[in-house]
């Protein structure tokens, strides 16, 4: 699967340890995170797709990472959690996509990574209900975010467009009501509702 065509579509939720609004995305990753470092989880639920001849449907994977300072400066530490329901072929395919090995939107992130923390297989529950999105990975990640409400269009979130976000240039801004990370030696617990989040659909393909 070195040079393969692939296509995945689904939904993404990201929650980080920055105070709302996280400065990394609007600064194109050149601003210092509010805590001086970034600990974040991007969880992707694949509605449907394929990697080469491997069909992917109704499976999730999470990218857990920490940056020691400004994201654009690199030195990221990254781990990947893959849905335990995946077959061995699906597992391998999703890991390679998540690490940017097959090109696509995750490839630039791989170039900023200096330490790969490993891969785990865990049950992943990905839920979206209107403005409320959540991810639950037993013993690893518990996150719940609510869209920042628009006063212009009630019932919809505020959007940030033309961004450098990996999932989609257009993301919905959110506040994390629950943010607990305990994975690959990375720790963060904050249920104050002040952490930053974002959600968006994604549609990736390569080459």
């Amino acid at each position: 699967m070195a040079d393969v065509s692939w296509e995945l579509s689904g939904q993404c939720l990201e929650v980080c340890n920055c105070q709302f609004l996280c400065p990394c995305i609007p600064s194109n990753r050149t601003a210092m995170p509010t805590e001086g470092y970034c600990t974040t989880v991007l969880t992707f639920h694949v509605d449907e797709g394929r990697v080469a001849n491997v069909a992917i449907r109704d499976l999730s994977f999470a990218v857990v990472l920490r940056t020691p300072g400004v994201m654009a400066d690199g030195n990221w530490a990254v781990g990947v959690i893959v849905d335990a329901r995946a077959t061995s072929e699906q597992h391998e395919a999703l890991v390679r996509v998540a690490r940017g090995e097959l090109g696509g939107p995750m490839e630039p992130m791989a170039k900023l990574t200096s330490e790969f923390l490993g891969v785990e297989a865990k049950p992943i529950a990905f839920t979206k209900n209107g403005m409320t999105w959540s991810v639950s990975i037993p013993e690893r990640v518990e996150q719940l975010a609510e869209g920042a409400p628009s006063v212009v269009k009630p019932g919809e979130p505020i959007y940030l467009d033309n961004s450098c976000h990996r999932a989609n240039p257009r993301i919905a801004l959110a506040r994390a009501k629950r943010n607990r990370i305990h994975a690959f030696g990375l720790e963060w617990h904050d249920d104050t509702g002040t952490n930053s989040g974002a959600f968006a659909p994604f549609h990736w393909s390569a080459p």
Side-chain angles (χ1 to χ4, degrees), residues 18 27 34 41 61 63 70 86 88 101-102 111 146 149-150 170 201:
C18 279
S27 70
T34 63
V41 180
F61 65 95
V63 178
V70 174
S88 58
E101 294 179 3
L102 301 180
K111 295 177 180 178
E146 293 183 356
S150 168
R170 186 172 191 259

Side-chain angles (χ1 to χ4, degrees), residues 129-133 146-159 172-173 199:
N129 182 15
M131 295 263 281
T132 302
W133 294 46
E146 293 183 356
S150 168
V151 296
V152 178
K153 293 186 176 181
E156 293 190 16
I158 298 171
Y159 289 98
L173 303 181
F199 51 81

Side-chain angles (χ1 to χ4, degrees), residues 31-186:
M32 180 65 70
T34 63
E35 307 306 301
Y37 63 93
C38 180
T39 301
T40 187
V41 180
L42 297 95
T43 304
F44 300 89
H45 180 77
V46 180
D47 293 324
E48 60 181 352
R50 61 170 183 84
V51 178
N53 62 349
V54 178
I56 310 288
R57 182 173 288 108
D58 191 31
L59 293 174
S60 300
F61 65 95
V63 178
V64 184
L65 68 91
R66 173 168 289 184
T67 69
V70 174
M71 297 190 83
D73 290 345
N75 295 317
W76 297 14
V78 176
V80 178
I81 303 174
V82 177
D83 201 316
R85 296 177 298 123
T87 66
S88 58
E89 292 83 5
Q90 291 170 328
H91 179 103
E92 178 187 359
L94 290 175
V95 170
R96 298 196 68 189
V97 169
R99 296 191 64 180
E101 294 179 3
L102 301 180
M106 299 299 279
E107 185 175 23
M109 190 179 79
K111 295 177 180 178
L112 295 169
T113 300
S114 59
E115 181 182 6
F116 186 64
L117 302 174
V119 179
E120 290 189 344
K122 290 281 187 180
I124 302 177
F126 187 104
T127 304
K128 63 186 186 76
N129 182 15
M131 295 263 281
T132 302
W133 294 46
S134 66
V135 167
S136 178
I137 306 175
E139 302 177 345
R140 294 293 180 265
V141 177
E142 295 290 338
Q143 295 180 323
L144 184 147
E146 293 183 356
S150 168
V151 296
V152 178
K153 293 186 176 181
E156 293 190 16
I158 298 171
Y159 289 98
L160 177 66
D161 209 345
N162 299 321
S163 77
C164 61
H165 198 278
R166 294 297 90 203
N168 192 320
R170 186 172 191 259
I171 57 174
L173 303 181
R175 295 179 184 271
K177 301 301 182 181
R178 183 168 62 248
N179 188 13
R180 306 174 188 176
I181 303 168
H182 175 73
F184 304 108
L186 307 183

Side-chain angles (χ1 to χ4, degrees), residues 16-23 34-35 188 190 192 194-196:
C16 72
N17 67 322
C18 279
Q19 297 294 296
F20 185 87
L21 171 68
C22 170
T34 63
E35 307 306 301
W188 183 263
D190 191 329
T192 63
T194 61
N195 284 170
S196 192

Side-chain angles (χ1 to χ4, degrees), residues 3-7 50 102-104 205-207:
D3 295 308
V4 301
S5 64
W6 59 273
E7 184 175 9
R50 61 170 183 84
L102 301 180
S205 63

